[in-house]
Amino acid sequence: MNLLMVIFGLIAIFAAIGTVQTFKNKQVLGFLFNLGTFVIFGAFTVATIITQGYPPALH
């Protein structure tokens, strides 16, 4: 689960960067998809850190 959490965290970071860039370029559809990706993957990453801790507990 540790590697998956890191990958999803990176996706959330890249989505946040993409959200800012599409907002600057006034691209509505790209903004909505990037914002949705950021919210979903960011929430999953935060929830995993809260429940499993970092580094994640093995058992």
Side-chain angles (χ1 to χ4, degrees):
M1 189 60 111
N2 189 13
L3 182 61
L4 189 63
M5 185 177 54
V6 170
I7 291 171
F8 282 173
L10 287 173
I11 291 171
I13 291 169
F14 289 140
I17 293 169
T19 301
V20 172
Q21 289 178 349
T22 55
F23 184 73
K24 286 181 183 177
N25 293 332
K26 298 176 183 160
Q27 297 172 345
V28 177
L29 190 60
F31 175 77
L32 291 175
F33 278 113
N34 277 315
L35 184 64
T37 303
F38 172 68
V39 168
I40 290 169
F41 283 97
F44 177 77
T45 304
V46 169
T48 304
I49 290 172
I50 289 171
T51 58
Q52 298 289 324
Y54 191 82
L58 296 176
H59 287 281

